[in-house]
Amino acid sequence: NPTREQVDIELAAHGASVVLVRRDAAGRWQADKTSTYNRRITATTPIRISGPAAADARVGPTVQGMLNNCGGGLTPWGTILTAEENFNQYFANNGAVTDPATKAAHARYGLPSGASERGWERHHPRFDLAQNPNEAFRFGWIVEVDPYDPGSTPVKRTALGRFKHEAATCRPTADRRVAVYSGDDERFECLYKFVSTGRISSSPGRNRGLLDDGTLYAARFDADGTGTWLPLVFGPDLAAAGFTSQADVLIRTREAAAALGATKMDRPEDVEASPVTGKVYMACTNNTQRGTSGRPGTDAANPRVGNRWGHVIEITEAGDDAGATAFNWEILLLCGDPADPTTYFAGYDKSQVSAIGAPDNVAFDRTGNMWIATDGQFSALKNNDGFYAVPVEGPERGFLRQFYATVTGAEICGPEF
């Protein structure tokens, strides 16, 4: 039963910070508290909404704040992309929504039928769906922030789709457009890629609207090791599935991906590309419901029943081009205890590797080694979460070793070189 003051503090504590850090002569990193770049973007900061869904009455051109920010990425033009993830937990009373289509759309994203777990709706009606049924449609987007202009307004880029985003990894295409990879962090959800229509300009200011126009794709992983990026573009197929416009496709991205047959993954989270080979890697954290009663069974890209340890998939875009619409794929890691017969470490001798569970975020060093951060390893292996390093090519491909362990109860997230 939170008080108004407690809720207001929580609203101010959500979002993200921009902080300037410097390294002194002794090699120590410290925050520069005097920097004009420093700022907070909270759950009440005015934010602009752009792209196709901004014109939809359910969304509109503005919103207060961003929620449950998780991973993200850096654009080639120097801005930050931050991902709204589990936004469903802040809203309440979907059971009281009178419009059946709105109620069904919210249910697909896990919004509760009764009270929220945080109780914000008691003091702020915008979180009460019975009073404001459209407010939740304004969350679940990728938000672009300019860290070099503290007076700039953050922008939610709706062309990148609405779901529980983990990551927004940018990679230039062969013809200098930009591709943005993002996972939907929930059981049986999909991997996505947005490819811009316009090309990256050497003048940063000309790139400000680049993420408002392009094609959003969902990934289908076929059993023969090939894959297809399915365009989530409004047309006869999606119209037949009940969609009314491109804005509707983007607002209900999950339903559009399912209608076109995208593969339902085991919690797809971070997606990163190797700076050496260009191959793309996706971390699937886990899915203990895979293959259980009433839930989808295994498939080639999600091969384990009750996948409590997670896995990592390696993707090779056709022509090594991030703008391609086809790819090849293979499983790099089936995580877990190396002694378990279902685990796999790219063919490397399992007696030599570390146990790992719940891969969440990944990053690459300059020589092409992949670093994995875990989230939830305690429930999978009874180990604290940590960082792991693994070569992805050469004779030591799959030789995974633990580098660091954090304190009990802490998640490791967002490694950056």
Side-chain angles (χ1 to χ4, degrees):
N1 185 24
T3 66
R4 171 64 183 258
E5 181 183 25
Q6 289 171 328
V7 172
D8 288 349
I9 290 171
E10 290 185 353
L11 287 166
H14 276 67
S17 298
V18 178
V19 181
L20 180 67
V21 295
R22 300 181 186 274
R23 186 161 56 184
D24 63 22
R28 295 170 300 189
W29 289 99
Q30 294 185 3
D32 181 353
K33 296 182 181 180
T34 67
S35 173
T36 58
Y37 294 121
N38 297 342
R39 63 166 163 160
R40 284 284 297 151
I41 301 166
T42 74
T44 61
T45 300
I47 291 180
R48 183 166 67 88
I49 301 176
S50 69
D56 191 286
R58 290 168 291 180
V59 178
T62 60
V63 66
Q64 290 184 57
M66 57 189 189
L67 291 174
N68 211 268
N69 296 75
C70 195
L74 307 174
T75 68
W77 48 93
T79 58
I80 295 168
L81 301 180
T82 179
E84 292 187 301
E85 192 185 22
N86 297 306
F87 64 92
N88 58 300
Q89 62 187 264
Y90 304 95
F91 294 91
N93 299 324
N94 189 38
V97 173
T98 57
D99 177 57
T102 300
K103 180 184 289 187
H106 289 331
R108 182 66 179 80
Y109 283 78
L111 276 71
S113 60
S116 74
E117 59 186 73
R118 295 182 181 272
W120 289 2
E121 70 276 7
R122 301 178 186 182
H123 305 288
H124 293 273
R126 71 185 178 111
F127 297 106
D128 183 352
L129 297 171
Q131 300 182 63
N132 291 282
N134 289 333
E135 182 70 5
F137 291 126
R138 301 174 184 121
F139 296 88
W141 306 102
I142 293 294
V143 188
E144 186 172 10
V145 178
D146 186 349
Y148 301 108
D149 182 1
S152 63
T153 301
V155 184
K156 296 193 179 186
R157 303 291 186 186
T158 65
L160 277 67
R162 176 176 170 268
F163 45 91
K164 294 181 180 180
H165 289 273
E166 175 93 25
T169 299
C170 293
R171 188 177 172 214
T173 67
D175 58 1
R176 296 298 297 167
R177 293 177 293 157
V178 63
V180 185
Y181 296 89
S182 190
D184 185 355
D185 182 11
E186 195 157 337
R187 299 179 183 94
F188 305 111
E189 297 302 340
C190 302
L191 171 67
Y192 297 91
K193 179 177 74 172
F194 168 86
V195 180
S196 67
T197 299
R199 289 173 170 78
I200 302 168
S201 172
S202 58
S203 176
R206 296 182 179 178
N207 297 311
R208 288 295 186 260
L210 201 60
L211 300 182
D212 287 336
D213 185 14
T215 302
L216 181 66
Y217 299 89
R220 188 187 72 212
F221 293 81
D222 295 324
D224 62 357
T226 63
T228 303
W229 291 107
L230 306 169
L232 304 185
V233 176
F234 180 69
D237 290 342
L238 289 176
F243 292 88
T244 58
S245 66
Q246 184 61 25
D248 194 33
V249 170
L250 297 169
I251 292 168
R252 298 190 290 139
T253 303
R254 286 181 169 179
E255 295 171 74
L260 295 183
T263 302
K264 299 177 179 180
M265 305 299 297
D266 288 348
R267 286 185 63 198
E269 296 213 44
D270 198 6
V271 189
E272 299 287 342
S274 166
V276 175
T277 67
K279 293 179 184 291
V280 177
Y281 296 82
M282 171 180 56
C284 292
T285 297
N286 53 36
N287 184 356
T288 55
Q289 296 181 14
R290 173 73 65 180
T292 60
S293 178
R295 304 296 280 163
T298 60
D299 55 52
N302 303 275
R304 291 195 291 188
V305 172
N307 181 16
R308 63 192 179 102
W309 290 327
H311 60 293
V312 177
I313 291 180
E314 180 181 78
I315 297 169
T316 304
E317 295 275 29
D320 292 325
D321 180 8
T325 57
F327 59 89
N328 292 321
W329 67 271
E330 62 179 287
I331 292 177
L332 178 77
L333 303 174
L334 289 172
C335 299
D337 184 343
D340 188 282
T342 69
T343 58
Y344 173 75
F345 292 79
Y348 200 83
D349 180 359
K350 293 200 295 181
S351 69
Q352 303 297 311
V353 304
S354 299
I356 181 175
D360 187 336
N361 294 124
V362 299
F364 283 87
D365 59 35
R366 292 180 182 178
T367 59
N369 296 304
M370 182 167 65
W371 294 72
I372 304 173
T374 67
D375 175 20
Q377 188 165 248
F378 184 79
S379 62
L381 289 170
K382 305 306 178 186
N383 292 343
N384 289 2
D385 283 308
F387 286 129
Y388 296 76
V390 57
V392 295
E393 59 178 339
E396 290 194 334
R397 174 179 164 90
F399 185 12
L400 182 139
R401 285 161 283 184
Q402 184 169 359
F403 172 74
Y404 176 80
T406 189
V407 297
T408 300
E411 172 189 352
I412 287 288
C413 185
E416 191 76 26
F417 285 89

